[in-house]
Amino acid sequence: MNQNTQQIEQTLDHLSLQDRIRIALESDINQGLLRPGQAIKEQDLCERFQASRTPVREALLLLSAKGLIDIQPRSGIYIKRLDARKIIAIMEGLAELEAVLARLAAHRALDSHKEQLQDCLLQTQIYAQQADSKGYAQANAELHELIYQLSANEFIAEQTQHARLRIAPYRTHMFAKPERLLESQKEHERIVQAIIAGDGDAAAHAMRQHISAGGQAFVEAAMRAPSLESTPSKPPRRLSS
């Protein structure tokens, strides 16, 4: 069980059933277990969470308000599908948001935090050298999450996390090419070095370059994804429990 899964389970223990369902579905979207255009059945969710339709519907309404699902009357409920223009717009916004967080982290990180950054950087380096795209994606997420925490700005961090969640289903093949892993690792090194040095401007610039550099490969992968095709007349498949 990875650290993110443990954190999610600990969070769920203290939440209402409605929020437990919402967070679990957000996690499924973030991990690519739910794909854009995929149909969701209320009955499947009721069985999975041993819940009545009321908390399930409330959770789905919250996800719809966040732009993560489409509720189509008399048609069905689907994971939100984004076109290429929307994906690019989110990526541009994400680059600026992450740059701000990196700048703040550089000004606010303590010595103990800097050690954590170096530990995270070592993990991404190991996976990059092994050409382990799945492991790298997880370590990459943990490094970025640490930077969000070090920024000590919950508002901007939440906006950034939401933007990343919106495009998470399209990121599956982002690190498919080994050379992109190595390039990304070099970018991470520049970001971490700037934060450790307390250079906010350099950290923001390095982060903006990092997000932008991966943007082209990301958009190309998203454009190749079958999820960008027109919505099928029949639901792709049911949500597995």
Side-chain angles (χ1 to χ4, degrees):
M1 182 182 298
N2 61 45
Q3 182 178 1
N4 285 350
T5 301
Q6 291 177 332
Q7 292 175 343
I8 290 171
E9 290 186 352
Q10 291 172 359
T11 300
L12 294 181
D13 288 340
H14 300 87
L15 295 177
S16 66
L17 182 56
Q18 166 193 316
D19 284 333
R20 291 180 62 193
I21 296 170
R22 173 184 58 80
I23 292 175
L25 292 177
E26 287 180 355
S27 177
D28 288 348
I29 293 171
N30 192 43
Q31 297 179 56
L33 301 178
L34 292 175
R35 304 290 296 164
Q38 181 175 331
I40 297 178
K41 299 294 184 181
E42 280 189 9
Q43 184 57 41
D44 289 348
L45 294 180
C46 290
E47 294 174 0
R48 172 181 174 182
F49 295 101
Q50 297 182 344
S52 66
R53 288 187 179 274
T54 297
V56 167
R57 288 175 177 173
E58 290 174 346
L60 292 174
L61 286 173
L62 288 172
L63 292 173
S64 177
K66 296 177 73 171
L68 297 176
I69 66 171
D70 276 329
I71 300 177
Q72 303 176 10
R74 298 182 297 279
S75 176
I77 304 171
Y78 302 88
I79 300 301
K80 184 76 172 182
R81 192 190 302 273
L82 302 176
D83 60 27
R85 181 178 299 179
K86 185 69 171 180
I87 293 173
I88 293 172
I90 294 175
M91 286 295 294
E92 289 176 343
L94 185 62
E96 296 305 316
L97 288 169
E98 297 233 23
V100 172
L101 292 175
R103 183 193 305 277
L104 293 174
H107 294 318
R108 297 173 178 176
L110 303 176
D111 288 342
S112 59
H113 297 148
K114 295 173 182 179
E115 293 178 3
Q116 290 179 276
L117 281 170
Q118 291 175 326
D119 289 342
C120 283
L121 187 63
L122 178 59
Q123 289 300 309
T124 58
Q125 179 182 19
I126 292 172
Y127 288 121
Q129 292 175 342
Q130 295 175 345
D132 183 344
S133 59
K134 184 176 181 180
Y136 187 87
Q138 178 64 37
N140 172 74
E142 291 175 359
L143 174 59
H144 281 261
E145 183 64 33
L146 177 58
I147 292 172
Y148 303 164
Q149 293 174 12
L150 300 188
S151 75
N153 189 308
E154 292 184 4
F155 176 77
I156 300 177
E158 287 177 359
Q159 303 307 308
T160 306
Q161 290 164 335
H162 180 60
R164 290 181 74 91
L165 184 59
R166 290 288 304 277
I167 58 175
Y170 298 91
R171 297 174 66 89
T172 306
H173 304 293
M174 187 173 181
F175 298 119
K177 296 181 178 180
E179 58 269 27
R180 178 54 201 152
L181 268 66
L182 295 174
E183 292 169 0
S184 178
Q185 176 61 20
K186 292 179 181 178
E187 294 157 11
H188 281 160
E189 291 172 359
R190 288 192 285 270
I191 295 167
V192 171
Q193 288 170 2
I195 292 175
I196 290 176
D199 190 335
D201 289 341
H205 177 73
M207 180 63 84
R208 188 179 293 108
Q209 291 293 106
H210 171 55
I211 301 297
S212 298
Q216 184 61 41
F218 172 76
V219 171
E220 290 175 358
M223 289 296 291
R224 291 195 301 269
S227 56
L228 283 178
E229 298 173 357
S230 58
T231 303
S233 56
K234 297 182 180 179
R237 62 183 178 89
R238 287 191 172 188
L239 174 69
S240 58
S241 58

